[in-house]
Amino acid sequence: QVQLQESGPGLVKPSQTLSLTCTVSGGSLSSLPYFWSWIRQHPERGLEWIGYIYNSGSTYYSPSLKSRLTMSLDSSKNQISLELTSMTAADTAVYYCVSQSWSGSGSYSPLDWGPGTLVTVSS
Amino acid sequence: DIQMTQSPSSLSVSVGDRVTITCRASQGITNDLGWYQQKPGKAPKRLIYAASSLQSGVPSRFSGSGSGTEFTLTISSLQPGDFATYYCLQYNTYPITFGQGTRLEIK
């Protein structure tokens, strides 16, 4: 298992861009066979999967966020990043960095989660 | 998107009770389903993956079953540390989707 730690601003103004970073420890991003994901939890609307990036740099984004979302990774720093543009109050949530591991069925199951970081969108 | 319908939304239970939580997928997901426990202020923790495989380190009183569209999480004898919210999620088809959660409350 790996350890994940999110970092970023706790407060973002409407229309601004959110930038979050996840630092991975306990293994190398470039060699671990995981999908690296972001999941958020809205105060009243539950859990929402945002997207993943693989160590090759390939990505898959949730269709509902695809037009505003960019994920990247920096193997030299063992970090994954998320950028979400045009933030609104509906984006207020706790954002989690999550590893997805092979589950034996051809699919990747969410396994390790960071502690999460609360992002509030407000002027 | 695949819709995950979880029931009940809350359950009032006592230590020692047997607890069953159900999750239904809007279409078949083979066994690509996980169960997670979340305590207040903490991240979810994986209990079960592949519908019935117990995550390493998780007590054996937790078990999962099901395939296709119907899944169940069972806690055989509830312990004090088990009062939490439980979520199912499917990872068969992207985007990954979640059940609404089941909150276990002390009776």
Side-chain angles (χ1 to χ4, degrees):
Chain A
Q1 291 184 319
V2 297
Q3 292 76 48
L4 306 157
Q5 180 66 56
E6 307 88 350
S7 58
L11 182 64
V12 177
K13 287 182 167 53
S15 80
Q16 287 190 338
T17 295
L18 170 66
S19 294
L20 294 177
T21 297
C22 172
T23 301
V24 178
S25 57
S28 170
L29 264 185
S30 59
S31 59
L32 286 167
Y34 290 167
F35 288 1
W36 306 99
S37 300
W38 291 93
I39 292 172
R40 66 183 182 180
Q41 187 165 27
H42 303 273
E44 303 297 334
R45 290 190 286 123
L47 290 154
E48 179 184 15
W49 183 84
I50 296 171
Y52 74 67
I53 185 166
Y54 192 54
N55 58 13
S56 63
S58 63
T59 57
Y60 185 93
Y61 301 152
S62 175
S64 65
L65 297 170
K66 185 176 181 178
S67 64
R68 302 193 290 133
L69 180 63
T70 302
M71 294 176 63
S72 60
L73 62 81
D74 185 336
S75 297
S76 66
K77 295 181 179 179
N78 238 32
Q79 290 180 334
I80 304 143
S81 296
L82 169 149
E83 283 198 348
L84 189 62
T85 63
S86 305
M87 294 284 283
T88 72
D91 295 311
T92 293
V94 175
Y95 286 73
Y96 294 102
C97 179
V98 180
S99 66
Q100 290 183 229
S101 66
W102 177 262
S103 70
S105 64
S107 302
Y108 284 74
S109 166
L111 172 57
D112 295 311
W113 299 58
T117 186
L118 174 62
V119 176
T120 301
V121 182
S122 175
S123 56
Chain B
D1 297 2
I2 295 176
Q3 305 303 314
M4 303 301 293
T5 303
Q6 186 175 339
S7 62
S9 57
S10 65
L11 205 50
S12 185
V13 292
S14 301
V15 171
D17 283 354
R18 182 181 180 87
V19 174
T20 300
I21 301 169
T22 299
C23 208
R24 178 179 292 121
S26 60
Q27 62 190 71
I29 58 171
T30 63
N31 68 337
D32 294 332
L33 181 114
W35 290 99
Y36 294 75
Q37 176 194 67
Q38 187 178 32
K39 296 184 177 180
K42 301 292 187 182
K45 169 189 171 184
R46 191 171 80 175
L47 302 174
I48 301 284
Y49 63 97
S52 59
S53 296
L54 189 68
Q55 177 65 34
S56 175
V58 173
S60 58
R61 63 179 179 273
F62 293 92
S63 63
S65 63
S67 182
T69 60
E70 296 276 344
F71 301 88
T72 299
L73 172 70
T74 300
I75 309 172
S76 60
S77 178
L78 200 70
Q79 298 302 298
D82 299 339
F83 288 95
T85 301
Y86 293 83
Y87 294 94
C88 64
L89 66 82
Q90 68 80 22
Y91 50 91
N92 178 266
T93 302
Y94 287 97
I96 287 174
T97 49
F98 300 81
Q100 304 92 322
T102 296
R103 183 178 176 185
L104 297 189
E105 301 170 334
I106 300 173
K107 185 182 287 185

